[in-house]
Amino acid sequence: MASDQPLADSPTSNVAEYSVGEISQAVKRTVEDAFGRVRVRGEVSGYRGPHSSGHAYFRLKDDRATLEAVIWRGTFSKLAFKPEEGLEIIATGKLTTYPGSSKYQIVIDAIEPAGAGALMALLEERRKTLAAEGLFDAARKRPLPFMPRVIGVVTSPTGAVIRDILHRIADRFPCQVLVWPVRVQGETSAREVAAAIDGFNALAPGGPVPRPDVLIVARGGGSLEDLWGFNEESVVRAAAGSAIPLISAVGHETDTTLIDHASDRRAPTPTGAAEIAVPVRADLEAHLAQLGARLAGTVSRLADDRRSRVRALARGLPQPDQILALPRQRLDGLDGRLRSSLDARLAERRGRLAALGAMLAPARLSEKVARDRQSLDRLARDLPLGLSRGLDLRRRELAHRAARLTTRTSQRLHGDGVRRLAQAVARLDRRAQDKAGDAASRIAEAARLLKSLSYQSVLERGYALVRDADGTPVRGSAGIASGDRLAIQFAGDDRLDVVADGKAPKNPGRQKPARPASKGGGQGSLF
Amino acid sequence: MSETDPNADVTGLSFEKALEELEKIVDRLERGDVALEESIAIYERGEALRARCDTLLKAAELKIEKIKTGRDGQATGTEPLGD
């Protein structure tokens, strides 16, 4: 600081003089004292990831100014989320100067996205990247075990979330639960959750610590920033890579974090995760009891069924006696007939034999021989006598016929003629009678016909016949003059004489004098 | 039962598998289209399956533990979950 200062020609000689280094240090002190901890909102600009040294350099800017920013390596690795180009953030840190180039900058301790919109955009960006890798594919999802023996829970060991899960598991299906304690918020939470998922998967089956059959990663509700750890790539990759089926239950139902996409099932709440993880034991017991009862029932029913079928069939079977009864009856009948017919035949044969035997006596044979000899002798004796007698007989008969011949013949011829004459007369008579009868019946027939055709029969039907004075039938009013006498004839010879009254219609062509009616027929012209 | 038990494998079945098979057996028996001999055999298997399911249900008990981790972050054992 000591220096030679010309006093005479320096109007400001009493002002303290700084070296560049001194002023730089002074400014640095002033800035750091005044802005030891500030929150600065701005858009990330010129960000190209951490430098090879691990430190990150970029600028925060708004529409009027820019601010140099640095994040030291140690801080950068602990950030809950990293800066991204163009992202509007709120950086927390201190201002300091960089004397080497007369600059000031902010040394950032923590950053947070400024506003949900920005964060959502980031989340969407990350989701797309991971989805493109196939981490969220439905084909990656594994079925959950029906009845897990051991459940691994990754969550905070204290608080409502683990209490809710344990309570619901105890209610539904008590089993072994292993809690892997993690912080579910803050910068380290993502790393711890990912490590816990990997740690459970690293457990060997049958080892001292039982390997869970299913995992639950749970956290209660919170802001988007609170839940941010479950959007971290490390957590999403651990969940997607878990060999043990994993249920995610982060935040409320409306909150969706990226781990929900990568998990095998997403539960709306931690309690929901417990319900998904285990069935209800009481239900299973009831179902099992029911199945047991049905099983027992089926066997007794099967036996009953078969027993009753056997019984029914047995009833259907006829008795052996019944089967044999009819044939036996026939056998008996045949047996009886066999015996009796045998006896009868035997008796008959015996009788015939006896009869034949009796007839077969030698005496009968000699008797017949003697008889035949006698008749032979007689015939021999009678032969010549019979011959002469026969001749006499024929001779006498011849004489007798010669005597009868003349008289009998003439008598017979005469009688024959008389008889034939009488027959002819009789036939003639009969013919004449037939002829007469025939004529009579034809006359009667004609009379009947005549009667049926007579005008009388018309009158019988209620008509009347009008005649003039001559008795001629009148066919109409023409020719009848007033004062003419007319006769009306009804059926059965019933007559009425009348005098025409009134004028006859003009009819110059006809004039016939009226004449008194007379009795009798003569009406042939009617017919 | 001096012969080898045909239902010995049942003790190795998971609850879900045992239950599924039991349901099938009950369905078959209830349909009644099984020969008598076979119905007795599968009834016995059904009983074994039911017993297996029963055992698994009864064996389940609540046991809550917390993982202890070593320096490398791996699980080294368990301890009761203190609240």
Side-chain angles (χ1 to χ4, degrees), chain A residues 144-147 149 157-159 162-163 166 169-170 173-181 195 198-200 202-203 208-210 281 284-285 287-289 291-296 298-299 301-303 305-306, chain B residues 15-16 19 22-23 25-27 29-30 32-36 39-40 42-43 45-47 49-51 53-54 56-69 73-78 81-83:
Chain A
L144 304 179
F146 178 71
M147 199 180 97
R149 286 171 303 107
T158 58
I162 187 65
R163 271 207 314 277
L166 293 176
I169 287 176
F173 200 106
C175 60
Q176 190 171 5
V177 180
L178 291 175
V179 181
W180 195 301
D198 291 342
F200 269 134
L203 292 172
V209 180
R281 183 160 76 172
L284 291 177
E285 281 170 343
H287 184 44
L288 190 62
L291 280 177
R294 278 169 65 192
L295 185 66
T298 57
V299 160
R301 188 149 8 94
L302 270 177
D305 191 37
R306 283 169 164 89
Chain B
F15 181 87
E16 194 181 9
L19 189 70
L22 176 58
E23 281 170 336
I25 282 177
V26 171
D27 280 348
L29 285 174
E30 281 185 339
D33 55 358
V34 193
L36 190 60
S39 74
I40 291 166
I42 67 174
Y43 170 78
R45 186 164 180 84
E47 274 296 330
L49 290 164
R50 194 193 56 76
C53 289
D54 221 27
L56 286 172
L57 282 183
K58 296 238 158 60
E61 59 171 323
L62 191 63
K63 187 178 171 192
I64 299 163
E65 287 163 312
K66 191 168 75 175
I67 296 283
K68 283 194 298 187
T69 52
Q74 297 297 308
T76 53
T78 58
L81 178 74
D83 202 349

Side-chain angles (χ1 to χ4, degrees), chain A residues 355-518:
Chain A
L356 288 171
M359 282 162 65
L360 205 61
R364 288 185 71 113
L365 199 58
S366 57
E367 205 174 297
K368 186 170 164 52
V369 169
R371 213 161 45 234
D372 288 351
R373 185 172 294 141
Q374 259 177 12
S375 64
L376 187 63
D377 289 348
R378 201 164 50 236
L379 287 171
R381 201 169 52 236
D382 289 348
L383 194 56
L385 182 69
L387 199 59
S388 63
R389 200 183 292 164
L391 278 175
D392 282 349
L393 198 65
R394 300 283 160 94
R395 195 173 289 131
R396 267 200 310 276
E397 194 175 328
L398 189 61
H400 178 64
R401 287 200 177 173
R404 277 172 55 190
L405 192 59
T406 50
T407 56
R408 264 187 66 187
T409 305
S410 66
Q411 275 173 359
R412 195 174 60 225
L413 282 174
H414 172 71
D416 224 20
V418 171
R419 196 165 56 247
R420 281 171 66 189
L421 185 59
Q423 276 172 358
V425 170
R427 263 208 314 277
L428 200 58
D429 278 357
R430 210 157 43 239
R431 186 73 57 84
Q433 276 172 11
D434 283 353
K435 278 264 169 125
D438 207 21
S441 71
R442 280 170 66 190
I443 289 166
E445 182 66 23
R448 241 187 338 268
L449 189 60
L450 190 61
K451 188 172 186 319
S452 75
L453 295 176
S454 153
Y455 77 97
Q456 290 284 355
S457 60
V458 176
L459 299 185
E460 303 277 354
R461 301 209 298 271
Y463 294 88
L465 182 63
V466 181
R467 298 177 197 270
D468 58 17
D470 297 337
T472 309
V474 177
R475 288 173 174 269
S477 61
I480 299 176
S482 183
D484 284 356
R485 300 186 66 85
L486 297 171
I488 299 172
Q489 182 182 353
F490 300 100
D493 228 9
D494 182 9
R495 282 167 194 256
L496 178 65
D497 290 330
V498 294
V499 177
D501 185 18
K503 289 167 184 137
K506 278 184 188 156
N507 204 343
R510 297 283 292 269
Q511 43 194 356
K512 221 170 186 185
R515 280 182 288 185
S518 68

Side-chain angles (χ1 to χ4, degrees), chain A residues 27-306:
Chain A
V27 169
K28 189 182 181 72
R29 251 196 318 275
T30 305
V31 167
E32 288 185 353
D33 286 350
F35 305 102
R37 180 168 175 80
V38 289
R39 280 159 60 82
V40 180
R41 185 189 188 110
E43 184 186 320
V44 176
S45 173
Y47 178 73
R48 279 175 291 277
H51 193 264
S52 60
S53 61
H55 312 312
Y57 306 97
F58 55 98
R59 288 184 303 279
L60 291 173
K61 66 170 190 180
D62 61 17
D63 51 353
R64 276 177 294 194
T66 63
L67 173 62
E68 294 290 328
V70 60
I71 305 175
W72 303 126
R73 184 176 63 186
T75 308
F76 190 87
S77 61
K78 284 187 280 190
L79 286 180
F81 68 83
K82 317 293 188 202
E84 290 193 17
E85 178 69 16
L87 183 69
E88 192 173 1
I89 61 169
I90 296 167
T92 305
K94 61 177 184 186
L95 290 189
T96 182
T97 64
Y98 181 51
S101 59
S102 183
K103 286 180 174 175
Y104 71 98
Q105 61 187 9
I106 182 168
V107 175
I108 295 174
D109 292 329
I111 59 174
E112 56 193 277
L119 204 56
M120 288 305 282
L122 178 64
L123 183 61
E124 183 56 20
E125 194 66 28
R126 191 175 291 170
R127 191 192 64 76
K128 279 183 185 158
T129 310
L130 295 174
E133 261 189 70
L135 290 182
F136 305 155
D137 287 356
R140 286 180 67 104
K141 313 287 185 201
R142 285 141 306 170
L144 304 179
F146 178 71
M147 199 180 97
R149 286 171 303 107
V150 182
I151 300 174
V153 182
V154 177
T155 192
S156 165
T158 58
V161 170
I162 187 65
R163 271 207 314 277
D164 286 351
I165 290 175
L166 293 176
H167 187 252
R168 189 49 59 99
I169 287 176
D171 269 359
R172 288 169 68 90
F173 200 106
C175 60
Q176 190 171 5
V177 180
L178 291 175
V179 181
W180 195 301
V182 293
R183 271 169 282 187
V184 292
Q185 193 167 348
E187 290 160 7
T188 59
S189 113
R191 200 168 57 240
E192 287 181 29
V193 170
I197 294 171
D198 291 342
F200 269 134
N201 276 282
L203 292 172
V209 180
R211 180 182 166 92
D213 302 308
V214 65
L215 296 182
I216 296 172
V217 177
R219 190 207 187 283
S223 68
L224 185 57
E225 290 82 359
D226 289 341
L227 305 181
W228 194 254
F230 295 89
N231 290 321
E232 288 298 341
E233 196 175 325
S234 59
V235 172
V236 173
R237 287 192 188 283
S242 174
I244 303 170
L246 187 145
I247 302 166
S248 65
V250 176
H252 296 303
E253 189 161 8
T254 48
D255 304 326
T256 300
T257 52
L258 292 185
I259 192 177
D260 290 331
H261 294 291
S263 66
D264 296 301
R265 279 289 288 282
R266 186 211 169 189
T269 60
T271 301
E275 286 170 0
I276 290 171
V278 290
V280 177
R281 183 160 76 172
D283 288 355
L284 291 177
E285 281 170 343
H287 184 44
L288 190 62
Q290 194 193 7
L291 280 177
R294 278 169 65 192
L295 185 66
T298 57
V299 160
S300 62
R301 188 149 8 94
L302 270 177
D304 285 351
D305 191 37
R306 283 169 164 89

